[in-house]
mmCIF file of all heavy atoms in Angstrom:
data_model
loop_
_atom_site.group_PDB
_atom_site.id
_atom_site.type_symbol
_atom_site.label_atom_id
_atom_site.label_comp_id
_atom_site.label_asym_id
_atom_site.label_seq_id
_atom_site.Cartn_x
_atom_site.Cartn_y
_atom_site.Cartn_z
ATOM 1 N N LEU A 356 -1.543 184.340 179.601
ATOM 2 C CA LEU A 356 -2.944 184.140 179.858
ATOM 3 C C LEU A 356 -3.012 183.475 181.280
ATOM 4 O O LEU A 356 -2.532 182.406 181.545
ATOM 5 C CB LEU A 356 -3.587 183.338 178.836
ATOM 6 C CG LEU A 356 -5.187 183.206 178.859
ATOM 7 C CD1 LEU A 356 -5.643 184.685 178.614
ATOM 8 C CD2 LEU A 356 -5.604 182.321 177.756
ATOM 9 N N ALA A 357 -3.758 184.122 182.163
ATOM 10 C CA ALA A 357 -3.820 183.583 183.637
ATOM 11 C C ALA A 357 -5.181 183.696 184.091
ATOM 12 O O ALA A 357 -6.074 184.519 183.685
ATOM 13 C CB ALA A 357 -2.829 184.380 184.501
ATOM 14 N N THR A 358 -5.562 183.001 185.128
ATOM 15 C CA THR A 358 -6.843 183.001 185.824
ATOM 16 C C THR A 358 -6.902 184.264 186.700
ATOM 17 O O THR A 358 -7.870 184.982 186.847
ATOM 18 C CB THR A 358 -7.062 181.792 186.710
ATOM 19 O OG1 THR A 358 -6.752 180.517 186.024
ATOM 20 C CG2 THR A 358 -8.511 181.711 187.146
ATOM 21 N N VAL A 359 -5.687 184.482 187.425
ATOM 22 C CA VAL A 359 -5.622 185.706 188.238
ATOM 23 C C VAL A 359 -4.296 186.388 187.905
ATOM 24 O O VAL A 359 -3.349 185.710 187.636
ATOM 25 C CB VAL A 359 -5.666 185.319 189.761
ATOM 26 C CG1 VAL A 359 -7.021 184.824 190.125
ATOM 27 C CG2 VAL A 359 -4.577 184.407 190.189
ATOM 28 N N ILE A 360 -4.387 187.695 187.877
ATOM 29 C CA ILE A 360 -3.168 188.497 187.680
ATOM 30 C C ILE A 360 -2.946 189.234 189.057
ATOM 31 O O ILE A 360 -3.898 190.000 189.445
ATOM 32 C CB ILE A 360 -3.416 189.617 186.616
ATOM 33 C CG1 ILE A 360 -3.649 188.846 185.236
ATOM 34 C CG2 ILE A 360 -2.144 190.434 186.400
ATOM 35 C CD1 ILE A 360 -4.027 189.788 184.168
ATOM 36 N N VAL A 361 -1.857 188.979 189.641
ATOM 37 C CA VAL A 361 -1.605 189.452 191.015
ATOM 38 C C VAL A 361 -0.412 190.322 190.994
ATOM 39 O O VAL A 361 0.757 189.863 191.113
ATOM 40 C CB VAL A 361 -1.397 188.270 191.994
ATOM 41 C CG1 VAL A 361 -1.478 188.841 193.540
ATOM 42 C CG2 VAL A 361 -2.371 187.179 191.806
ATOM 43 N N THR A 362 -0.621 191.665 190.942
ATOM 44 C CA THR A 362 0.462 192.581 191.000
ATOM 45 C C THR A 362 0.858 192.850 192.506
ATOM 46 O O THR A 362 0.018 192.579 193.381
ATOM 47 C CB THR A 362 0.182 193.940 190.360
ATOM 48 O OG1 THR A 362 -0.782 194.652 191.275
ATOM 49 C CG2 THR A 362 -0.412 193.822 189.000
ATOM 50 N N ASN A 363 2.051 193.284 192.802
ATOM 51 C CA ASN A 363 2.372 193.564 194.238
ATOM 52 C C ASN A 363 3.497 194.587 194.237
ATOM 53 O O ASN A 363 4.623 194.225 193.845
ATOM 54 C CB ASN A 363 2.790 192.234 194.889
ATOM 55 C CG ASN A 363 2.830 192.458 196.452
ATOM 56 O OD1 ASN A 363 2.931 193.583 196.915
ATOM 57 N ND2 ASN A 363 2.736 191.362 197.131
ATOM 58 N N MET A 364 3.213 195.767 194.698
ATOM 59 C CA MET A 364 4.149 196.835 194.844
ATOM 60 C C MET A 364 5.069 196.790 196.113
ATOM 61 O O MET A 364 6.006 197.426 196.365
ATOM 62 C CB MET A 364 3.568 198.214 194.779
ATOM 63 C CG MET A 364 2.815 198.494 193.490
ATOM 64 S SD MET A 364 3.725 198.480 192.055
ATOM 65 C CE MET A 364 3.242 196.886 191.338
ATOM 66 N N GLY A 365 4.615 195.785 197.017
ATOM 67 C CA GLY A 365 5.319 195.658 198.261
ATOM 68 C C GLY A 365 4.858 196.797 199.217
ATOM 69 O O GLY A 365 3.837 197.459 199.036
ATOM 70 N N VAL A 366 5.715 197.099 200.167
ATOM 71 C CA VAL A 366 5.427 198.172 201.059
ATOM 72 C C VAL A 366 6.064 199.450 200.639
ATOM 73 O O VAL A 366 7.259 199.430 200.412
ATOM 74 C CB VAL A 366 6.057 197.862 202.576
ATOM 75 C CG1 VAL A 366 5.784 198.936 203.510
ATOM 76 C CG2 VAL A 366 5.457 196.500 202.994
ATOM 77 N N VAL A 367 5.296 200.467 200.416
ATOM 78 C CA VAL A 367 5.807 201.654 199.879
ATOM 79 C C VAL A 367 5.398 202.882 200.663
ATOM 80 O O VAL A 367 4.361 202.797 201.338
ATOM 81 C CB VAL A 367 5.242 201.927 198.370
ATOM 82 C CG1 VAL A 367 5.802 200.777 197.498
ATOM 83 C CG2 VAL A 367 3.688 201.963 198.356
ATOM 84 N N PRO A 368 6.199 203.898 200.602
ATOM 85 C CA PRO A 368 5.861 205.100 201.472
ATOM 86 C C PRO A 368 4.757 205.931 200.748
ATOM 87 O O PRO A 368 4.776 206.001 199.556
ATOM 88 C CB PRO A 368 7.147 205.857 201.512
ATOM 89 C CG PRO A 368 7.887 205.516 200.308
ATOM 90 C CD PRO A 368 7.538 204.129 200.004
ATOM 91 N N GLY A 369 4.040 206.654 201.534
ATOM 92 C CA GLY A 369 3.171 207.693 201.028
ATOM 93 C C GLY A 369 3.863 208.952 200.863
ATOM 94 O O GLY A 369 5.136 209.057 201.204
ATOM 95 N N PRO A 370 3.250 209.947 200.290
ATOM 96 C CA PRO A 370 3.837 211.300 200.079
ATOM 97 C C PRO A 370 4.207 212.009 201.481
ATOM 98 O O PRO A 370 3.387 211.890 202.469
ATOM 99 C CB PRO A 370 2.898 212.132 199.304
ATOM 100 C CG PRO A 370 1.527 211.508 199.689
ATOM 101 C CD PRO A 370 1.808 209.976 199.955
ATOM 102 N N ARG A 371 5.266 212.745 201.436
ATOM 103 C CA ARG A 371 5.591 213.619 202.589
ATOM 104 C C ARG A 371 5.004 214.979 202.403
ATOM 105 O O ARG A 371 5.374 215.638 201.391
ATOM 106 C CB ARG A 371 7.124 213.687 202.716
ATOM 107 C CG ARG A 371 7.784 212.335 203.106
ATOM 108 C CD ARG A 371 9.285 212.561 203.270
ATOM 109 N NE ARG A 371 9.938 212.976 202.072
ATOM 110 C CZ ARG A 371 11.159 213.566 202.053
ATOM 111 N NH1 ARG A 371 11.767 213.642 203.116
ATOM 112 N NH2 ARG A 371 11.614 213.980 200.888
ATOM 113 N N LEU A 372 4.154 215.362 203.183
ATOM 114 C CA LEU A 372 3.351 216.570 203.008
ATOM 115 C C LEU A 372 3.774 217.664 204.023
ATOM 116 O O LEU A 372 4.218 217.361 205.106
ATOM 117 C CB LEU A 372 1.780 216.299 203.138
ATOM 118 C CG LEU A 372 1.348 215.244 202.199
ATOM 119 C CD1 LEU A 372 -0.167 214.783 202.497
ATOM 120 C CD2 LEU A 372 1.364 215.684 200.753
ATOM 121 N N PRO A 373 3.475 218.920 203.629
ATOM 122 C CA PRO A 373 3.844 219.992 204.505
ATOM 123 C C PRO A 373 2.810 220.001 205.747
ATOM 124 O O PRO A 373 1.785 219.407 205.697
ATOM 125 C CB PRO A 373 3.667 221.295 203.722
ATOM 126 C CG PRO A 373 2.747 220.862 202.642
ATOM 127 C CD PRO A 373 2.935 219.496 202.297
ATOM 128 N N ALA A 374 3.246 220.726 206.778
ATOM 129 C CA ALA A 374 2.307 220.953 208.009
ATOM 130 C C ALA A 374 0.967 221.455 207.460
ATOM 131 O O ALA A 374 0.936 222.388 206.646
ATOM 132 C CB ALA A 374 3.035 221.736 208.968
ATOM 133 N N GLY A 375 -0.068 221.002 208.108
ATOM 134 C CA GLY A 375 -1.368 221.494 207.805
ATOM 135 C C GLY A 375 -2.086 220.781 206.660
ATOM 136 O O GLY A 375 -3.251 221.039 206.288
ATOM 137 N N LEU A 376 -1.374 219.750 206.085
ATOM 138 C CA LEU A 376 -1.983 218.860 205.114
ATOM 139 C C LEU A 376 -1.668 217.486 205.280
ATOM 140 O O LEU A 376 -0.468 217.110 205.570
ATOM 141 C CB LEU A 376 -1.456 219.362 203.615
ATOM 142 C CG LEU A 376 -2.066 218.671 202.488
ATOM 143 C CD1 LEU A 376 -3.473 219.054 202.287
ATOM 144 C CD2 LEU A 376 -1.261 219.041 201.149
ATOM 145 N N ARG A 377 -2.641 216.619 205.235
ATOM 146 C CA ARG A 377 -2.461 215.243 205.499
ATOM 147 C C ARG A 377 -3.211 214.350 204.472
ATOM 148 O O ARG A 377 -4.212 214.730 203.989
ATOM 149 C CB ARG A 377 -2.800 214.823 206.953
ATOM 150 C CG ARG A 377 -4.345 214.950 207.307
ATOM 151 C CD ARG A 377 -4.568 214.613 208.740
ATOM 152 N NE ARG A 377 -5.938 214.798 209.063
ATOM 153 C CZ ARG A 377 -6.869 213.832 208.939
ATOM 154 N NH1 ARG A 377 -6.565 212.651 208.546
ATOM 155 N NH2 ARG A 377 -8.170 214.093 209.294
ATOM 156 N N ALA A 378 -2.653 213.206 204.128
ATOM 157 C CA ALA A 378 -3.226 212.266 203.244
ATOM 158 C C ALA A 378 -4.197 211.331 204.094
ATOM 159 O O ALA A 378 -3.723 210.742 205.099
ATOM 160 C CB ALA A 378 -2.213 211.472 202.567
ATOM 161 N N THR A 379 -5.421 211.160 203.703
ATOM 162 C CA THR A 379 -6.372 210.311 204.423
ATOM 163 C C THR A 379 -6.447 208.965 203.715
ATOM 164 O O THR A 379 -6.984 208.021 204.245
ATOM 165 C CB THR A 379 -7.647 210.964 204.504
ATOM 166 O OG1 THR A 379 -8.243 211.387 203.210
ATOM 167 C CG2 THR A 379 -7.605 212.230 205.347
ATOM 168 N N ASP A 380 -6.023 208.851 202.386
ATOM 169 C CA ASP A 380 -6.144 207.702 201.613
ATOM 170 C C ASP A 380 -5.215 207.774 200.445
ATOM 171 O O ASP A 380 -5.085 208.813 199.789
ATOM 172 C CB ASP A 380 -7.570 207.336 201.266
ATOM 173 C CG ASP A 380 -7.802 205.928 200.777
ATOM 174 O OD1 ASP A 380 -6.876 205.093 201.041
ATOM 175 O OD2 ASP A 380 -8.827 205.612 200.140
ATOM 176 N N ILE A 381 -4.611 206.709 200.051
ATOM 177 C CA ILE A 381 -3.813 206.596 198.841
ATOM 178 C C ILE A 381 -4.133 205.357 198.064
ATOM 179 O O ILE A 381 -4.284 204.226 198.787
ATOM 180 C CB ILE A 381 -2.257 206.617 199.165
ATOM 181 C CG1 ILE A 381 -1.957 207.733 200.166
ATOM 182 C CG2 ILE A 381 -1.387 206.758 197.944
ATOM 183 C CD1 ILE A 381 -0.584 207.610 200.818
ATOM 184 N N ARG A 382 -4.263 205.486 196.796
ATOM 185 C CA ARG A 382 -4.615 204.238 195.924
ATOM 186 C C ARG A 382 -3.894 204.202 194.642
ATOM 187 O O ARG A 382 -3.462 205.225 194.147
ATOM 188 C CB ARG A 382 -6.099 204.308 195.646
ATOM 189 C CG ARG A 382 -7.050 204.393 196.797
ATOM 190 C CD ARG A 382 -8.501 204.488 196.500
ATOM 191 N NE ARG A 382 -9.018 203.325 195.973
ATOM 192 C CZ ARG A 382 -10.305 203.103 195.628
ATOM 193 N NH1 ARG A 382 -11.197 204.034 195.810
ATOM 194 N NH2 ARG A 382 -10.713 201.921 195.145
ATOM 195 N N LEU A 383 -3.596 202.952 194.245
ATOM 196 C CA LEU A 383 -3.079 202.765 192.940
ATOM 197 C C LEU A 383 -3.991 201.762 192.239
ATOM 198 O O LEU A 383 -4.191 200.607 192.753
ATOM 199 C CB LEU A 383 -1.542 202.199 193.001
ATOM 200 C CG LEU A 383 -1.049 201.573 191.729
ATOM 201 C CD1 LEU A 383 -0.872 202.712 190.700
ATOM 202 C CD2 LEU A 383 0.311 200.879 192.002
ATOM 203 N N VAL A 384 -4.539 202.090 191.107
ATOM 204 C CA VAL A 384 -5.431 201.244 190.366
ATOM 205 C C VAL A 384 -5.047 201.229 188.876
ATOM 206 O O VAL A 384 -4.876 202.296 188.265
ATOM 207 C CB VAL A 384 -6.899 201.770 190.533
ATOM 208 C CG1 VAL A 384 -7.867 200.764 189.712
ATOM 209 C CG2 VAL A 384 -7.282 201.946 191.952
ATOM 210 N N PRO A 385 -4.871 200.064 188.335
ATOM 211 C CA PRO A 385 -4.532 200.014 186.879
ATOM 212 C C PRO A 385 -5.909 200.081 186.154
ATOM 213 O O PRO A 385 -6.987 199.579 186.558
ATOM 214 C CB PRO A 385 -3.904 198.577 186.732
ATOM 215 C CG PRO A 385 -4.464 197.711 187.870
ATOM 216 C CD PRO A 385 -4.786 198.696 188.967
ATOM 217 N N ALA A 386 -5.852 200.574 184.900
ATOM 218 C CA ALA A 386 -7.058 200.709 184.022
ATOM 219 C C ALA A 386 -6.569 200.579 182.640
ATOM 220 O O ALA A 386 -5.401 200.790 182.327
ATOM 221 C CB ALA A 386 -7.755 201.978 184.270
ATOM 222 N N ARG A 387 -7.493 200.303 181.735
ATOM 223 C CA ARG A 387 -7.128 200.250 180.258
ATOM 224 C C ARG A 387 -8.373 200.609 179.517
ATOM 225 O O ARG A 387 -9.493 200.852 180.032
ATOM 226 C CB ARG A 387 -6.663 198.854 179.799
ATOM 227 C CG ARG A 387 -7.612 197.709 180.245
ATOM 228 C CD ARG A 387 -6.797 196.332 180.014
ATOM 229 N NE ARG A 387 -7.616 195.232 180.448
ATOM 230 C CZ ARG A 387 -8.349 194.485 179.624
ATOM 231 N NH1 ARG A 387 -8.472 194.719 178.361
ATOM 232 N NH2 ARG A 387 -8.997 193.452 180.138
ATOM 233 N N GLU A 388 -8.160 200.768 178.272
ATOM 234 C CA GLU A 388 -9.303 201.252 177.299
ATOM 235 C C GLU A 388 -10.213 200.162 176.890
ATOM 236 O O GLU A 388 -11.405 200.338 176.782
ATOM 237 C CB GLU A 388 -8.731 202.013 176.166
ATOM 238 C CG GLU A 388 -8.088 203.388 176.423
ATOM 239 C CD GLU A 388 -7.654 204.095 175.178
ATOM 240 O OE1 GLU A 388 -8.332 203.853 174.127
ATOM 241 O OE2 GLU A 388 -6.676 204.772 175.251
ATOM 242 N N HIS A 389 -9.628 199.015 176.495
ATOM 243 C CA HIS A 389 -10.411 197.977 175.833
ATOM 244 C C HIS A 389 -10.679 196.780 176.699
ATOM 245 O O HIS A 389 -9.843 196.214 177.250
ATOM 246 C CB HIS A 389 -9.649 197.548 174.572
ATOM 247 C CG HIS A 389 -9.257 198.642 173.613
ATOM 248 N ND1 HIS A 389 -10.170 199.673 173.347
ATOM 249 C CD2 HIS A 389 -8.045 198.918 173.006
ATOM 250 C CE1 HIS A 389 -9.515 200.531 172.469
ATOM 251 N NE2 HIS A 389 -8.303 200.104 172.216
ATOM 252 N N TYR A 390 -11.921 196.494 176.697
ATOM 253 C CA TYR A 390 -12.457 195.156 177.321
ATOM 254 C C TYR A 390 -13.299 194.431 176.334
ATOM 255 O O TYR A 390 -13.919 195.025 175.465
ATOM 256 C CB TYR A 390 -13.211 195.543 178.587
ATOM 257 C CG TYR A 390 -12.436 196.205 179.703
ATOM 258 C CD1 TYR A 390 -12.142 197.464 179.711
ATOM 259 C CD2 TYR A 390 -11.798 195.450 180.652
ATOM 260 C CE1 TYR A 390 -11.348 198.095 180.703
ATOM 261 C CE2 TYR A 390 -11.135 196.045 181.679
ATOM 262 C CZ TYR A 390 -10.817 197.390 181.671
ATOM 263 O OH TYR A 390 -10.023 197.928 182.685
ATOM 264 N N PHE A 391 -13.418 193.198 176.406
ATOM 265 C CA PHE A 391 -14.076 192.418 175.492
ATOM 266 C C PHE A 391 -15.102 191.422 176.101
ATOM 267 O O PHE A 391 -14.817 190.217 176.291
ATOM 268 C CB PHE A 391 -12.974 191.600 174.632
ATOM 269 C CG PHE A 391 -12.055 192.448 173.970
ATOM 270 C CD1 PHE A 391 -10.827 192.804 174.584
ATOM 271 C CD2 PHE A 391 -12.312 193.073 172.710
ATOM 272 C CE1 PHE A 391 -9.977 193.652 173.954
ATOM 273 C CE2 PHE A 391 -11.459 193.941 172.071
ATOM 274 C CZ PHE A 391 -10.273 194.280 172.736
ATOM 275 N N PRO A 392 -16.264 191.914 176.468
ATOM 276 C CA PRO A 392 -17.299 190.972 176.948
ATOM 277 C C PRO A 392 -17.691 189.952 176.090
ATOM 278 O O PRO A 392 -18.259 188.928 176.475
ATOM 279 C CB PRO A 392 -18.467 191.963 177.330
ATOM 280 C CG PRO A 392 -18.168 193.189 176.517
ATOM 281 C CD PRO A 392 -16.761 193.278 176.376
ATOM 282 N N GLN A 393 -17.479 190.066 174.722
ATOM 283 C CA GLN A 393 -17.659 189.039 173.748
ATOM 284 C C GLN A 393 -16.982 187.770 174.097
ATOM 285 O O GLN A 393 -17.379 186.727 173.675
ATOM 286 C CB GLN A 393 -17.376 189.564 172.330
ATOM 287 C CG GLN A 393 -18.118 190.820 171.936
ATOM 288 C CD GLN A 393 -17.348 192.077 172.177
ATOM 289 O OE1 GLN A 393 -16.423 192.070 173.127
ATOM 290 N NE2 GLN A 393 -17.527 193.123 171.458
ATOM 291 N N ALA A 394 -15.853 187.950 174.725
ATOM 292 C CA ALA A 394 -14.953 186.652 174.995
ATOM 293 C C ALA A 394 -15.685 185.697 176.000
ATOM 294 O O ALA A 394 -15.412 184.514 175.924
ATOM 295 C CB ALA A 394 -13.657 187.087 175.583
ATOM 296 N N GLY A 395 -16.566 186.186 176.765
ATOM 297 C CA GLY A 395 -17.273 185.350 177.712
ATOM 298 C C GLY A 395 -16.570 185.082 179.056
ATOM 299 O O GLY A 395 -17.148 184.491 179.956
ATOM 300 N N ARG A 396 -15.296 185.250 179.064
ATOM 301 C CA ARG A 396 -14.468 184.962 180.281
ATOM 302 C C ARG A 396 -13.089 185.750 180.219
ATOM 303 O O ARG A 396 -12.662 186.150 179.093
ATOM 304 C CB ARG A 396 -14.211 183.429 180.422
ATOM 305 C CG ARG A 396 -13.512 182.810 179.156
ATOM 306 C CD ARG A 396 -13.533 181.327 179.301
ATOM 307 N NE ARG A 396 -14.873 180.829 179.289
ATOM 308 C CZ ARG A 396 -15.440 180.035 180.203
ATOM 309 N NH1 ARG A 396 -14.745 179.597 181.197
ATOM 310 N NH2 ARG A 396 -16.658 179.574 180.075
ATOM 311 N N SER A 397 -12.537 185.884 181.315
ATOM 312 C CA SER A 397 -11.239 186.551 181.391
ATOM 313 C C SER A 397 -10.464 186.324 182.701
ATOM 314 O O SER A 397 -11.128 185.759 183.614
ATOM 315 C CB SER A 397 -11.391 188.132 181.101
ATOM 316 O OG SER A 397 -11.892 188.716 182.340
ATOM 317 N N PRO A 398 -9.285 186.836 182.849
ATOM 318 C CA PRO A 398 -8.649 186.765 184.162
ATOM 319 C C PRO A 398 -9.296 187.847 185.088
ATOM 320 O O PRO A 398 -9.987 188.787 184.611
ATOM 321 C CB PRO A 398 -7.165 187.180 183.855
ATOM 322 C CG PRO A 398 -6.960 187.113 182.380
ATOM 323 C CD PRO A 398 -8.366 187.222 181.763
ATOM 324 N N VAL A 399 -9.051 187.697 186.375
ATOM 325 C CA VAL A 399 -9.360 188.749 187.376
ATOM 326 C C VAL A 399 -8.068 189.433 187.741
ATOM 327 O O VAL A 399 -7.064 188.813 188.012
ATOM 328 C CB VAL A 399 -10.074 188.144 188.577
ATOM 329 C CG1 VAL A 399 -10.089 189.134 189.776
ATOM 330 C CG2 VAL A 399 -11.425 187.683 188.214
ATOM 331 N N MET A 400 -8.116 190.731 187.721
ATOM 332 C CA MET A 400 -6.927 191.548 188.107
ATOM 333 C C MET A 400 -7.024 191.977 189.566
ATOM 334 O O MET A 400 -8.104 192.439 189.965
ATOM 335 C CB MET A 400 -6.924 192.767 187.214
ATOM 336 C CG MET A 400 -6.016 193.937 187.700
ATOM 337 S SD MET A 400 -4.232 193.595 187.643
ATOM 338 C CE MET A 400 -3.906 193.955 185.889
ATOM 339 N N ALA A 401 -5.937 191.839 190.268
ATOM 340 C CA ALA A 401 -5.772 192.259 191.598
ATOM 341 C C ALA A 401 -4.556 193.121 191.744
ATOM 342 O O ALA A 401 -3.455 192.553 191.580
ATOM 343 C CB ALA A 401 -5.792 191.038 192.654
ATOM 344 N N CYS A 402 -4.630 194.373 192.063
ATOM 345 C CA CYS A 402 -3.522 195.265 192.357
ATOM 346 C C CYS A 402 -3.293 195.422 193.834
ATOM 347 O O CYS A 402 -4.063 195.908 194.531
ATOM 348 C CB CYS A 402 -3.752 196.595 191.638
ATOM 349 S SG CYS A 402 -2.392 197.782 191.906
ATOM 350 N N VAL A 403 -2.114 194.856 194.212
ATOM 351 C CA VAL A 403 -1.803 194.825 195.680
ATOM 352 C C VAL A 403 -0.754 195.782 195.982
ATOM 353 O O VAL A 403 0.326 195.824 195.437
ATOM 354 C CB VAL A 403 -1.298 193.411 196.019
ATOM 355 C CG1 VAL A 403 -1.193 193.174 197.573
ATOM 356 C CG2 VAL A 403 -2.237 192.325 195.480
ATOM 357 N N VAL A 404 -1.040 196.580 197.091
ATOM 358 C CA VAL A 404 -0.024 197.529 197.531
ATOM 359 C C VAL A 404 -0.172 197.803 199.000
ATOM 360 O O VAL A 404 -1.332 197.840 199.411
ATOM 361 C CB VAL A 404 -0.081 198.835 196.659
ATOM 362 C CG1 VAL A 404 -1.365 199.518 196.857
ATOM 363 C CG2 VAL A 404 1.109 199.871 196.991
ATOM 364 N N SER A 405 0.906 198.037 199.700
ATOM 365 C CA SER A 405 0.813 198.436 201.115
ATOM 366 C C SER A 405 1.329 199.879 201.251
ATOM 367 O O SER A 405 2.554 200.116 201.314
ATOM 368 C CB SER A 405 1.564 197.407 201.946
ATOM 369 O OG SER A 405 1.086 196.113 201.924
ATOM 370 N N PHE A 406 0.456 200.780 201.372
ATOM 371 C CA PHE A 406 0.784 202.244 201.639
ATOM 372 C C PHE A 406 0.741 202.379 203.196
ATOM 373 O O PHE A 406 -0.213 202.058 203.881
ATOM 374 C CB PHE A 406 -0.113 203.210 201.042
ATOM 375 C CG PHE A 406 0.108 203.408 199.644
ATOM 376 C CD1 PHE A 406 -0.869 202.938 198.660
ATOM 377 C CD2 PHE A 406 1.187 204.098 199.130
ATOM 378 C CE1 PHE A 406 -0.722 203.129 197.316
ATOM 379 C CE2 PHE A 406 1.371 204.246 197.737
ATOM 380 C CZ PHE A 406 0.451 203.843 196.818
#
Side-chain angles (χ1 to χ4, degrees):
L356 197 60
T358 314
V359 295
I360 302 172
V361 193
T362 74
N363 197 336
M364 300 300 105
V366 179
V367 296
R371 295 182 300 163
L372 301 171
L376 185 64
R377 63 184 178 89
T379 58
D380 195 15
I381 310 167
R382 302 177 70 173
L383 169 61
V384 181
R387 55 193 174 94
E388 287 184 34
H389 303 318
Y390 294 83
F391 300 93
Q393 301 93 335
R396 58 191 62 235
S397 78
V399 167
M400 162 72 80
C402 181
V403 188
V404 62
S405 295
F406 283 110

